[in-house]
Amino acid sequence: MAMSRAKTVFRTACVVAALSLLGLLVPTAGAEPEFRRVTLKLGGQSCADHVAESALLRLRGVVMVDIEARRGHAIVDFDSSRVSVPHMLQAVARKSGENQVCTAHLVAG
């Protein structure tokens, strides 16, 4: 019976140690967002700025897109812990269709 108790204590200690280690590796749900701002140059054959704007706003982590401040550009505020610049560029490129080709390139940020 003493041996059984020792095994239980050992297993419990192992589980606690493993969970503690996982806590160090996995970010917590309540982590502070890391907001950044970038400027993207928009382009492409017959691609309207509002098409790129809608593609960016659909991404989780993008909180604001301003296409009015600078013609042919999008100023994007986003949470870099949820979305990356390459994901934003891909989202704009995916809006390309039969009659339009959309592109975006990082200018600043």
Side-chain angles (χ1 to χ4, degrees), residues 1-23:
M1 186 137 143
M3 182 60 96
S4 175
R5 172 118 172 99
K7 285 182 181 179
T8 302
V9 169
F10 178 75
R11 286 184 186 144
T12 302
C14 288
V15 169
V16 169
L19 291 175
S20 296
L21 181 60
L22 284 174

Side-chain angles (χ1 to χ4, degrees), residues 12 22 25-26 28 38 56 70 75 79 84 95 100-101 103:
T12 302
L22 284 174
L25 300 176
V26 178
T28 59
V38 294
L56 292 166
R70 197 169 160 197
I75 299 169
D79 178 356
S84 67
K95 287 308 253 182
Q100 64 186 7
V101 176
T103 62

Side-chain angles (χ1 to χ4, degrees), residues 77-94:
D77 288 346
F78 65 102
D79 178 356
S80 62
S81 68
R82 299 188 76 189
V83 66
S84 67
V85 173
H87 285 123
M88 288 187 264
L89 301 178
Q90 289 173 358
V92 172
R94 280 194 306 264

Side-chain angles (χ1 to χ4, degrees), residues 14-80:
C14 288
V15 169
V16 169
L19 291 175
S20 296
L21 181 60
L22 284 174
L24 295 174
L25 300 176
V26 178
T28 59
E32 290 293 319
E34 298 176 31
F35 290 108
R36 290 184 49 204
R37 175 174 281 181
V38 294
T39 301
L40 304 177
K41 176 147 179 51
L42 304 175
Q45 184 178 2
S46 71
C47 182
D49 290 351
H50 71 277
V51 172
E53 178 186 32
S54 68
L56 292 166
L57 286 171
R58 286 192 178 111
L59 295 172
R60 286 188 179 167
V62 172
V63 294
M64 190 276 307
V65 178
D66 182 358
I67 59 170
E68 302 291 326
R70 197 169 160 197
R71 185 170 167 83
H73 292 77
I75 299 169
V76 184
D77 288 346
F78 65 102
D79 178 356
S80 62

